[in-house]
């Protein structure tokens, strides 16, 4: 039991390191490909399970993308996200004190805030589509 516990921990550590190494809201598949370089025998379901445990432990958070896929985030402070409607990339956006005050009043009213997000078209995709569209 002790051995498998330790193994779980080193896999979890590798999963956490992969989320940090990716640095930009990886999906479980992204994490899987990074972890596989270090632990070639790891399965996608093991990666999923460890991501779930890390979210439960509060080490990382999970944000749902525009196609309802989950992205994992290591940045612990409360921030918002902007999703590109074209390529699906997720970018952090700082919430100002005013934004947080608005959230605080919602929380006071009993609203359970999940994630704050905006949608748009990222600079790369906007450039490809023609800048006059924005
Ligand atoms: Zn884009
Ligand atoms: Zn984020």
């Amino acid at each position: 039991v002790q051995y498998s516990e330790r193994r779980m921990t080193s896999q979890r550590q590798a999963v956490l390191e992969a989320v940090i190494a990716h640095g930009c809201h990886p999906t479980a598949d992204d994490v899987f490909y990074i972890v596989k370089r270090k632990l070639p025998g790891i399965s996608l379901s093991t990666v999923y399970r460890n991501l779930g445990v890390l979210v439960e432990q509060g080490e990382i958070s999970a944000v749902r993308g525009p196609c309802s896929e989950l992205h994992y985030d290591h940045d612990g402070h409360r921030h918002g996200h902007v999703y590109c409607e074209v390529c699906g990339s997720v970018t952090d956006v700082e919430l100002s004190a005013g934004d947080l005050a608005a959230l605080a009043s919602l929380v006071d009213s009993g609203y359970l805030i999940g994630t704050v997000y905006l949608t748009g078209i990222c600079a790369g995709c906007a450039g490809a589509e023609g800048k006059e569209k924005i």
Side-chain angles (χ1 to χ4, degrees):
V1 172
Q2 258 182 355
Y3 176 72
S4 74
E5 280 289 312
R6 251 204 323 268
R7 216 171 125 234
M8 269 294 288
T9 303
S10 74
Q11 285 178 334
R12 196 170 304 148
Q13 186 63 32
V15 167
L16 178 59
E17 281 169 7
V19 173
I20 297 167
H22 187 279
C24 192
H25 311 94
T27 62
D29 282 338
D30 296 329
V31 173
F32 177 53
Y33 284 112
I34 296 170
V35 173
K36 250 191 358 187
R37 283 184 227 139
K38 202 175 191 180
L39 303 171
I42 200 164
S43 68
L44 181 57
S45 63
T46 300
V47 169
Y48 267 110
R49 192 174 64 242
N50 282 292
L51 284 168
V53 172
L54 288 166
V55 170
E56 271 174 36
Q57 291 176 341
E59 295 279 348
I60 57 174
S61 58
V63 291
R64 205 165 279 284
C67 307
S68 88
E69 76 285 10
L70 284 175
H71 296 261
Y72 295 91
D73 200 343
H74 180 248
D75 189 346
H77 81 285
R78 191 181 275 278
H79 59 278
H81 291 105
V82 189
Y83 298 107
C84 175
E85 290 164 11
V86 179
C87 68
S89 67
V90 183
T91 306
D92 286 335
V93 61
E94 286 302 319
L95 296 172
S96 70
D99 296 330
L100 290 170
L103 294 179
S105 67
L106 277 171
V107 170
D108 287 346
S109 79
Y111 211 112
L112 298 172
I113 305 289
T115 182
V116 178
Y117 74 94
L118 304 160
T119 61
I121 300 174
C122 76
C125 294
E129 292 214 335
K131 288 192 171 89
E132 73 278 7
K133 245 189 115 175
I134 300 274

